[in-house]
Amino acid sequence: GEQTLVGPETGVVALWAWSPDGTRLLLAGDTERTWQLDFFLYDIPSGALRRLTNDLACQPLESWSMFVSPAQPVWLDERRALFTAVRGGASGLYELNTETSEVTTIQTWLAEHWGMSVDAARRWVVQTRGSLEVVGEVVAYDLATGTTRQLTDQNGALLREAPPAIWERFDVQRGDFTVEAWLLKPRDFDPARRYP
């Protein structure tokens, strides 16, 4: 029943995962209340908290909803952890080296991938996918081959009957800022017509 404060009281913890040997805790959060998460490593025996990333270029997927589960990081071995995050209108799988703090992009999709479950062999990653073409389907990503396979087709018939909009992703540059955007066109789009 003993409680130990990990990090300052002003901070936030959104995701966590125990290391395989149980001596460390990987945390996604920050020492202040912020919407941008970074990774920290908490050493259980010493009580030391070490910041691994600073201003992480992607946003790890946490969830404050009772309907969507968070995508907790998964340790691949004693030094590497896999996490899912979003960036620039895409989602992806990333690997964090807890010794060097290096973050490597494993895979990105122009879709939202939510949750994350990994098999015992650390080869298959299963998530749900939502995009402008697919709604709420289960997909599996093979870390060995780098391929993604859709496992369910719950909404396929509906989307064939009522196809979604045609979409085009593009960037808009405004001063020092790049804004990711989408142009959505009706399925029966006619380039000769004007649209609102």
Side-chain angles (χ1 to χ4, degrees):
E2 181 183 347
Q3 295 181 2
T4 303
L5 183 64
V6 177
E9 291 181 0
T10 57
V12 60
V13 173
L15 302 167
W16 57 90
W18 292 98
S19 65
D21 66 3
T23 64
R24 293 164 296 152
L25 193 57
L26 179 64
L27 307 167
D30 210 333
T31 55
E32 300 292 330
R33 295 221 174 258
T34 175
W35 291 106
Q36 177 62 45
L37 303 178
D38 275 295
F39 280 103
F40 296 78
L41 194 62
Y42 180 71
D43 183 71
I44 308 297
S46 70
L49 182 67
R50 179 169 62 99
R51 180 184 281 271
L52 297 176
T53 62
N54 194 10
D55 199 19
L56 192 60
C58 56
Q59 177 67 16
L61 279 177
E62 85 280 8
S63 175
W64 306 110
S65 166
M66 66 178 126
F67 303 110
V68 178
S69 63
Q72 302 289 16
V74 173
W75 288 78
L76 298 174
D77 54 35
E78 287 293 341
R79 65 179 175 81
R80 297 176 307 129
L82 185 71
F83 68 97
T84 187
V86 293
R87 177 186 174 149
S91 66
L93 293 173
Y94 299 84
E95 182 183 295
L96 170 66
N97 185 314
T98 61
E99 292 176 359
T100 66
S101 300
E102 181 182 3
V103 175
T104 305
T105 303
I106 304 297
Q107 175 68 38
T108 57
W109 301 276
L110 284 178
E112 286 189 344
H113 281 214
W114 289 94
M116 184 170 70
S117 186
V118 179
D119 70 331
R122 303 299 195 247
R123 175 177 175 172
W124 293 97
V125 180
V126 177
Q127 299 179 289
T128 57
R129 170 186 274 179
S131 72
L132 296 171
E133 299 165 332
V134 174
V135 181
E137 302 295 351
V138 177
V139 295
Y141 178 76
D142 186 343
L143 287 166
T145 64
T147 56
T148 306
R149 184 167 45 116
Q150 185 172 317
L151 303 178
T152 62
D153 189 27
Q154 302 298 317
N155 296 295
L158 173 64
L159 293 175
R160 285 187 290 278
E161 183 180 311
I166 300 167
W167 61 275
E168 177 186 336
R169 185 194 179 283
F170 60 97
D171 292 335
V172 177
Q173 195 68 37
R174 291 290 184 261
D176 294 337
F177 297 99
T178 301
V179 180
E180 298 85 11
W182 287 264
L183 175 62
L184 302 179
K185 303 174 187 176
R187 182 50 68 172
D188 60 352
F189 177 73
D190 178 356
R193 286 183 52 200
R194 283 185 63 88
Y195 292 85

